[in-house]
Amino acid sequence: MRNYRNIYQTARELKGLTQEAAAERLDISVDSLGAYEQDRRRPPDSTVLRMAQLYDFPYLCYQHIASGELGGVLPEVTPTSLEQATMRLVRLIGKFAKSGRLDQLLEINEDGRITAEERPLHDAIMAELRDITSTYLELDCATQKESAQGGGNRD
């Protein structure tokens, strides 16, 4: 039995759709969907957009781009739990704010240029912002998975 599930198959299964039902609603053949889900072919962006809409899983678009040629320019996103992503994001934002990074970023960039003396601090601030951005995306992904799996309101 195969344990591996690619991003397209995982998103479809989270929605609870069979390949046949999804292919019909996506207006593609079951063979095409199977080829995408078995990594034999890469789906066109327009098909992935329809998949994301049908599966109520917009993060699929990010995963699709990240798995292609443009993936190297995107922040790395590691699948994690809702709780872990939330705690990490709150911690990183708190640390960023407490360390005065916002004021430092404004001071460095307010004149529209970054001097050689400012560059090391600016680069450090940007690295922290990249970590915050990645963690936000991890939280967004965990939130979407929770919703797709029937999470939602806990009244």
Side-chain angles (χ1 to χ4, degrees):
M1 186 166 118
R2 187 176 83 141
N3 288 332
Y4 169 77
R5 300 281 186 264
N6 81 359
I7 58 177
Y8 314 107
Q9 182 177 2
T10 299
R12 176 183 55 76
E13 289 176 347
L14 283 172
K15 186 65 175 177
L17 293 172
T18 64
Q19 272 191 342
E20 291 77 13
E24 182 178 336
R25 292 173 70 183
L26 292 167
D27 197 28
I28 61 175
S29 71
V30 174
D31 287 342
S32 289
L33 184 58
Y36 304 149
E37 291 186 359
Q38 295 168 15
D39 293 323
R40 288 183 284 134
R41 281 198 323 240
R42 184 168 173 83
D45 294 346
S46 59
T47 300
V48 175
L49 176 60
R50 291 194 323 271
M51 286 177 177
Q53 292 166 338
L54 173 62
Y55 304 155
D56 295 321
F57 198 69
Y59 185 66
L60 180 62
C61 294
Y62 183 90
Q63 291 176 308
H64 173 73
I65 294 168
S67 70
E69 292 178 21
L70 298 176
V73 300
L74 296 175
E76 185 177 334
V77 176
T78 306
T80 188
S81 72
L82 187 63
E83 299 84 357
Q84 288 175 321
T86 301
M87 289 185 288
R88 179 169 157 76
L89 184 62
V90 168
R91 182 180 56 77
L92 289 174
I93 291 173
K95 181 180 171 187
F96 190 84
K98 285 178 187 172
S99 67
R101 292 302 206 202
L102 286 176
D103 289 336
Q104 292 171 333
L105 186 62
L106 285 170
E107 287 174 21
I108 291 169
N109 293 334
E110 67 188 352
D111 62 358
R113 60 186 178 84
I114 303 166
T115 67
E117 293 126 10
E118 295 169 329
R119 176 60 63 189
L121 179 56
H122 184 270
D123 291 348
I125 292 169
M126 294 305 294
E128 290 176 34
L129 288 172
R130 273 190 294 282
D131 284 346
I132 290 170
T133 301
S134 292
T135 305
Y136 158 76
L137 291 169
E138 289 169 2
L139 176 58
D140 192 41
C141 176
T143 301
Q144 290 180 33
K145 282 184 182 177
E146 166 97 357
S147 294
Q149 292 172 338
N153 254 345
R154 297 182 185 189
D155 292 329

